[in-house]
Amino acid sequence: MTEWGPALAVILGIVEGLTEFLPVSSTGHLILVGHALGFTGDAAANAEISIQLGAILAVIVFEREKIRRLLTGAWQEQAALHILRQSGRHPTWRALLQTSMQAHPHLWFVIGLGLAFLPAASVGFLAHGWIKSVLFTPQTVAATSIIGGLIILAVEARQPKIHTTQLDRVSITSAFWVGVAQCASLIPGMSRSGSTIIGGLLAGLDRKVATEYSFFLALPTIIAATAYQMLKANATFNQADYMALGIGMVVSFLVAWAVIAAFLTYVQRHTLRVFAYYRIALGILVFIVVR
């Protein structure tokens, strides 16, 4: 199955929806599935990245109440932003910022999300062409699947100290380190979700908050990547191709919605070790099968 069309779009949509928010790498799985089906090249890369939009829409719909509350709160806090100085006292900028962060949590959550987005966006913008031309291979996915699995096992064994148990209390510092961790996901197979969740755990977020923060950070990250890729793919796809792409997006939306709900429930009671074992087994299998 080498021709882009509705049937292939459904397959890729299912794969994308199943893997985008689990720490197993949706890009890696799409590369492996595309390789197995003979669907490779620029058209494959464009379709695989663009179809992610369906999964990100699932996050927006699933988390719509929290998104609305955070954005509304941030807007109100920004509009009312003021810090009163006591007469005779001149607080430092550090004190002013600490006071504002306590008084305006929604605003600083949005600022932190923007800060977390910047590292991977900057590296990706500079290195996208090289990554796409050199690293989009089954062998890269196999190696990074194993490496990522070992990292998950190491972090779970370490059990980092938890100091953040509420989503809207993720600090600027924690947000920055999660953003730095997201840079690893630019390598196919490392997993955006896995990198950001592990980064969140190392930054002191509990497992549920780290997972949900990963969902929120996916919004600017995947929307920007998808928009950029679809603009570049304008010359690659015709009208029929875009119709197939729409089918793939709808499928990934529906599947991702179910996965998001199930995964959030799962991480409240379980570690990520099962995903680490899966990654390691997948990597070994790919090395054996793909020559």
Side-chain angles (χ1 to χ4, degrees):
M1 186 183 293
T2 61
E3 293 297 324
W4 173 242
L8 187 53
V10 169
I11 294 172
L12 296 182
I14 292 172
V15 174
E16 166 62 24
L18 283 173
T19 57
E20 179 60 52
F21 300 108
L22 300 181
V24 297
S25 178
S26 62
T27 300
H29 280 76
L30 289 169
I31 289 172
L32 294 178
V33 171
H35 182 84
L37 297 176
F39 183 56
T40 58
D42 287 341
N46 291 334
E48 290 161 0
I49 293 177
S50 300
I51 217 166
Q52 292 176 331
L53 185 59
I56 208 62
L57 290 174
V59 172
I60 293 173
V61 175
F62 186 87
E63 297 281 16
R64 60 190 180 278
E65 286 302 318
K66 285 187 179 179
I67 293 173
R68 182 191 61 77
R69 186 165 63 251
L70 284 166
L71 293 179
T72 300
W75 177 258
Q76 292 172 345
E77 290 167 1
Q78 184 276 334
L81 185 61
H82 66 280
I83 298 178
L84 298 176
R85 298 181 181 222
Q86 296 181 5
S87 58
R89 293 184 58 186
H90 300 281
T92 63
W93 277 107
R94 181 184 180 88
L96 291 173
L97 286 174
Q98 288 176 339
T99 301
S100 179
M101 287 176 186
Q102 290 296 320
H104 310 101
H106 300 100
L107 176 61
W108 283 99
F109 178 88
V110 174
I111 293 173
L113 206 61
L115 179 64
F117 165 74
L118 288 177
S122 302
V123 176
F125 178 77
L126 295 173
H128 174 76
W130 179 82
I131 291 171
K132 184 178 173 182
S133 62
V134 176
L135 299 181
F136 270 52
T137 66
Q139 292 79 6
T140 299
V141 174
T144 53
S145 290
I146 294 172
I147 293 169
L150 294 174
I151 291 173
I152 290 174
L153 291 177
V155 173
E156 288 288 9
R158 177 186 171 187
Q159 294 185 342
K161 185 177 179 180
I162 295 171
H163 57 69
T164 304
T165 58
Q166 293 179 269
L167 182 65
D168 60 1
R169 290 296 175 179
V170 175
S171 69
I172 288 290
T173 302
S174 295
F176 172 75
W177 287 116
V178 172
V180 171
Q182 185 173 228
C183 291
S185 69
L186 294 170
I187 304 173
M190 282 303 291
S191 172
R192 187 207 57 78
S193 176
S195 298
T196 52
I197 292 173
I198 290 301
L201 293 177
L202 291 174
L205 314 186
D206 76 15
R207 194 172 283 104
K208 184 176 184 297
V209 171
T211 300
E212 204 161 8
Y213 194 79
S214 172
F215 294 168
F216 276 80
L217 183 53
L219 296 177
T221 302
I222 297 180
I223 289 173
T226 302
Y228 176 73
Q229 195 65 35
M230 290 185 76
L231 286 174
K232 289 186 64 178
N234 189 47
T236 305
F237 291 143
N238 56 38
Q239 186 174 355
D241 292 332
Y242 277 111
M243 289 180 64
L245 193 62
I247 292 172
M249 288 181 181
V250 170
V251 172
S252 69
F253 170 86
L254 295 173
V255 176
W257 182 316
V259 170
I260 291 167
F263 189 42
L264 279 176
T265 300
Y266 178 88
V267 295
Q268 294 182 67
R269 300 179 176 87
H270 306 282
T271 70
L272 301 177
R273 290 189 180 93
V274 65
F275 299 103
Y277 298 139
Y278 168 79
R279 292 176 63 108
I280 293 169
L282 176 65
I284 293 173
L285 178 62
V286 172
F287 272 131
I288 293 173
V289 173
V290 179
R291 299 295 182 180

